[in-house]
Amino acid sequence: GIVEVLSAFGSRIDILVANVGFLIAQRFEELTAEQWQRGFALNFFTHVYACQAVIPLMKQHGGGTIIFTGSDQGLQPDAGLGPYAQAKSAVHSLVKMLARELPADGILVSAVAPGMTRTPLVERLMEGYAREFGTDSKTAEKLELQRRGVPLGRLGEPEEVAEAVLYLATAPFCNGTILNISGGNVRSMTC
């Protein structure tokens, strides 16, 4: 478990980056209870369990920073992404709750909310869209970005998300921040 892994580092953890994403893409009426449970198990409860493991260790050593990977879908969900979008919205809510509870212990909590980023998960999604659209993945990517109305018209790159995580990990006044890095996909006035 995590205790054994961290023993090599003096049982000290300064930064937790909880990064997980599993997409179930179906219309609401087609989703089963098991799909909802799996979506939340993977996209929400993994964050809860990681926090339960590291918060006591962070408290022992005077604090730390927790950064979750949320999603633009947790801020502004698209149709057909129910369990994923709803679980990521719950992650954002968890950030807000922990950001109120943990600062007295020196622990800051924030999240990045990336839009579609060139990851294996999104590449598989684009392959599915390519089959659906009867085209290749590059064309499907372009069509999907147009459909969603993403102003930058491109996928994010993993390095861009990593830069946002690094910023939150080193920003001493960021707490409870949900950093929208969606290429303009999220259009709300508040995040």
Side-chain angles (χ1 to χ4, degrees):
I2 195 163
V3 174
E4 293 82 20
V5 170
L6 290 176
S7 66
F9 301 96
S11 295
R12 180 182 180 103
I13 184 164
D14 296 306
I15 300 167
L16 167 66
V17 179
N19 178 32
V20 75
F22 177 79
L23 188 63
I24 297 171
Q26 284 184 314
R27 296 188 49 79
F28 180 80
E29 297 88 9
E30 299 166 356
L31 290 164
T32 66
E34 292 78 20
Q35 288 172 309
W36 280 100
Q37 290 168 348
R38 185 162 189 217
F40 269 79
L42 294 170
N43 293 307
F44 175 70
F45 284 107
T46 53
H47 294 69
V48 172
Y49 303 144
C51 284
Q52 288 174 328
V54 302
I55 287 171
L57 298 171
M58 286 182 170
K59 285 182 176 183
Q60 285 176 357
H61 295 283
T65 302
I66 298 171
I67 302 162
F68 296 133
T69 302
S71 173
D72 65 338
Q73 294 300 308
L75 298 171
Q76 182 174 304
D78 285 322
L81 298 178
Y84 178 81
Q86 300 310 306
K88 290 299 185 174
S89 183
V91 167
H92 296 170
S93 184
L94 182 62
V95 165
K96 298 296 186 178
M97 182 191 78
L98 293 176
R100 305 283 299 180
E101 287 187 17
L102 297 175
D105 296 304
I107 301 171
L108 304 177
V109 184
S110 290
V112 292
M116 290 190 354
T117 303
R118 194 173 308 285
T119 63
L121 181 140
V122 170
E123 288 175 351
R124 281 191 305 277
L125 182 64
M126 289 305 130
E127 289 167 7
Y129 286 147
R131 286 189 298 277
E132 182 181 322
F133 300 153
T135 188
D136 62 280
S137 291
K138 272 289 183 211
T139 303
E141 179 181 309
K142 189 174 189 170
L143 291 170
E144 182 61 13
L145 291 166
Q146 286 172 350
R147 184 191 71 77
R148 290 181 184 215
V150 177
L152 289 186
R154 67 173 180 84
L155 295 177
E157 296 298 332
E159 296 80 9
E160 293 167 318
V161 177
E163 289 170 0
V165 169
L166 180 60
Y167 169 74
L168 290 174
T170 58
F173 202 62
C174 283
N175 184 46
T177 300
I178 310 293
L179 189 55
N180 169 12
I181 50 173
S182 68
N185 189 44
V186 176
R187 297 180 258 316
S188 68
M189 295 297 285
T190 59
C191 287

